[in-house]
Amino acid sequence: MLELVGLACGYGEMTVVHDLDLRVEAGQTVAMVGANGAGKTSTLMAIAGHVRQHRGEIRLDGQRIDALSPMQRVALGVGWVPEGRRLFPDLSVRENLVVGGYVRARSHEAASLERVVDLFPRVGERLNQRAGSLSGGEQQMVALGRALMAEPRLLLVDELSLGLMPKAVGQFYAALARLKASGLAILLVEQNTGHALRAADAVVVLESGAAVWRGTAEAARAATGMLDAYLGLARAQAETAG
């Protein structure tokens, strides 16, 4: 469903991700892990069209999308759940969700909203409430639901568990499992490697914008010492630089 070939991207003239190759198949979850500054969020934003691509190719279901606008990518099936939720706090929950489906015909709206509420019944109870008045977990439900309103084939999820209570984290990963079972391709960025390794089929470790390890989630779970070494080294370098 998604293929990155030699992707390099960054901000202005600065390149933060270097020559990244990555594949995500339909019905597969791939986790990208790494310390802060490794290039994980930049990769997701490049796929979504919000970060400058310096070279390489981004393909969705075999079609190059790297020359398309963010809106065109959403229309083709790229859904993005950004870090920090980024809701419109003064709009209602319903309005935030409807905004997510703006590339689809209005005739799809009711069915898409029903699917979101089926996945997160709490959202259905809050449809007329201001999004800014919700708890952190409820806001994350709306952020994920907003992406689903566009009927994506590929879902980019950035830091799903950030700032959430453990019980809520379990609910979100159960929701991701349901979405994966429906055939959705998921590229997941997650600082909590334990959650990521349990949810993913495959894992890519980024360090300083490059892939330094890749393999199955089973292999990654068996090599937790290796992952700790990569992540610990990156953290130590960041602390030294600070």
Side-chain angles (χ1 to χ4, degrees):
M1 183 59 67
L2 171 71
E3 184 176 16
L4 307 182
V5 181
L7 175 68
C9 63
Y11 305 88
E13 299 303 316
M14 181 178 66
T15 300
V16 298
V17 175
H18 309 272
D19 301 317
L20 178 62
D21 296 330
L22 185 147
R23 291 177 64 93
V24 187
E25 306 291 348
Q28 182 186 38
T29 297
V30 174
M32 281 197 301
V33 300
N36 289 334
K40 308 182 299 298
T41 293
S42 297
T43 299
L44 294 191
M45 293 181 69
I47 297 167
H50 297 292
V51 163
R52 181 179 178 184
Q53 182 177 337
H54 294 162
R55 59 183 178 274
E57 299 181 5
I58 303 173
R59 297 183 178 273
L60 183 70
D61 202 17
Q63 175 183 350
R64 286 193 67 171
I65 64 171
D66 37 82
L68 302 181
S69 69
M71 183 174 69
Q72 290 171 317
R73 299 184 198 201
V74 173
L76 285 175
V78 178
W80 180 37
V81 184
E83 179 182 356
R85 295 125 195 180
R86 302 190 190 180
L87 302 181
F88 296 99
D90 292 328
L91 297 184
S92 70
V93 168
R94 183 189 298 274
E95 289 167 334
N96 271 273
L97 293 171
V98 168
V99 164
Y102 72 98
V103 298
R104 301 294 173 218
R106 287 296 298 270
S107 59
H108 292 212
E109 183 179 301
S112 295
L113 186 59
E114 184 177 347
R115 284 193 291 270
V116 171
V117 171
D118 178 64
L119 192 65
F120 296 119
R122 181 66 64 85
V123 169
E125 300 169 3
R126 301 287 191 268
L127 287 176
N128 297 318
Q129 193 168 326
R130 282 182 56 254
S133 68
L134 302 181
S135 69
E138 290 169 341
Q139 289 188 23
Q140 188 71 299
M141 291 176 188
V142 177
L144 180 52
R146 179 180 57 188
L148 296 175
M149 290 290 291
E151 303 172 5
R153 295 181 289 159
L154 167 70
L155 189 64
L156 310 173
V157 185
D158 197 358
E159 299 293 1
L160 182 65
S161 69
L162 187 65
L164 300 182
M165 299 291 289
K167 182 179 179 180
V169 172
Q171 292 176 326
F172 280 105
Y173 276 95
L176 282 193
R178 286 181 60 183
L179 295 172
K180 172 187 165 182
S182 73
L184 195 62
I186 300 172
L187 181 56
L188 171 69
V189 164
E190 178 62 85
Q191 282 278 23
N192 189 312
T193 55
H195 293 314
L197 297 185
R198 285 190 292 272
D201 302 294
V203 177
V204 177
V205 180
L206 295 189
E207 183 181 355
S208 300
V212 293
W213 189 91
R214 65 182 72 234
T216 65
E218 182 179 3
R221 287 191 293 268
T224 54
M226 174 275 300
L227 290 179
D228 288 343
Y230 278 127
L231 300 178
L233 176 61
R235 281 194 293 267
Q237 290 173 335
E239 290 169 359
T240 301

